[in-house]
Amino acid sequence: MGFQITGDAAADKVLDDSPFALLIGMMLDQQYPMEHAFRGPAKVLQRFGTFAPEAIAAADPDEFAAMASTTPAIHRFPGSMAARLQEVARIVEDSYGGDASRLWTEASDAKDLLKRIMALPGFGKQKAQIFVALLAKQLGVRPEGWEAVVGDYALDGHRSVADVVDADSLQKVRDFKKAKKAAVRAAE
């Protein structure tokens, strides 16, 4: 069936077809609506002509940032995210031979996978946990101990993008996040 995160079948297909695109969609999921973040790789593919890490890493930084800033931009902070995308592309190219899926296929266990993801620019612990949960829940990538390293993101429910499988679940994740933020504000 494939991913149904973006609300756009063509953008979701880019995520289906490219492990690197999925990784970058997660990277872009910061201070930006998740479905828009995960559409970012499709925008780059359409404008740049490829989503190959090698080509992205080698692109002129100013030209790549200008492409990323073209309306509709790939993110609300297109310049900094374009630079980060190129940095992740360089790491994927240099450390994983251009194959982002090696991040998870070659991990020795879930702790190693989490560590590999956290080593990437833009991936703190929480985002890395969500990405590991996304891999487990939607791609069946379940290295030993994955539930322990992702914590509550392993639970059933609608906590993160890992649980988005259609428009209804996207709304439930939004509602969960909104309620969580309200609870934090009320506690302060």
Side-chain angles (χ1 to χ4, degrees), residues 23-75:
L23 181 68
I24 295 303
M26 188 74 225
M27 183 208 73
L28 293 170
D29 189 11
Q30 174 183 327
Q31 298 180 357
Y32 198 52
M34 76 179 80
E35 67 274 24
H36 295 289
F38 280 88
R39 285 180 199 147
K43 291 175 188 174
V44 172
L45 176 61
Q46 181 182 28
R47 297 172 191 168
F48 191 62
T50 181
F51 206 74
E54 177 182 22
I56 290 171
D60 176 88
D62 293 332
E63 291 176 13
F64 195 77
M67 176 276 306
S69 300
T70 301
T71 304
I74 66 164
H75 193 273

Side-chain angles (χ1 to χ4, degrees), residues 8-181:
D8 176 311
D12 283 330
K13 182 160 179 14
V14 172
L15 303 176
D16 291 337
D17 293 346
S18 169
F20 182 61
L22 183 64
L23 181 68
I24 295 303
M26 188 74 225
M27 183 208 73
L28 293 170
D29 189 11
Q30 174 183 327
Q31 298 180 357
Y32 198 52
M34 76 179 80
E35 67 274 24
H36 295 289
F38 280 88
R39 285 180 199 147
K43 291 175 188 174
V44 172
L45 176 61
Q46 181 182 28
R47 297 172 191 168
F48 191 62
T50 181
F51 206 74
E54 177 182 22
I56 290 171
D60 176 88
D62 293 332
E63 291 176 13
F64 195 77
M67 176 276 306
S69 300
T70 301
T71 304
I74 66 164
H75 193 273
R76 82 185 255 206
F77 303 113
S80 61
M81 288 300 177
R84 187 177 287 169
L85 194 165
Q86 286 192 284
E87 192 176 345
V88 174
R90 278 189 283 280
I91 292 168
V92 167
E93 187 60 31
D94 294 346
S95 300
Y96 300 99
D99 182 357
S101 71
R102 287 179 54 197
L103 280 156
W104 51 91
T105 60
E106 296 178 359
S108 58
D109 59 23
K111 286 182 182 178
D112 183 39
L113 174 55
L114 187 69
K115 180 180 169 187
R116 289 166 175 246
I117 302 298
M118 286 177 60
L120 298 172
F123 284 85
K125 184 176 182 182
Q126 183 179 29
K127 186 181 284 195
Q129 287 175 309
I130 292 168
F131 190 69
V132 171
L134 175 68
L135 293 172
K137 290 181 173 185
Q138 297 206 30
L139 292 181
V141 175
R142 297 178 176 190
E144 185 176 335
W146 78 269
E147 296 99 330
V149 302
V150 303
D152 285 353
Y153 296 111
L155 301 174
D156 288 336
H158 299 93
R159 293 168 167 41
S160 73
V161 69
D163 302 307
V164 175
V165 295
D166 56 24
D168 183 51
S169 58
L170 173 63
Q171 187 57 51
K172 288 178 181 176
V173 168
R174 273 210 185 100
D175 294 344
F176 176 83
K177 288 182 173 191
K178 186 176 179 181
K180 194 171 180 180
K181 285 180 184 178

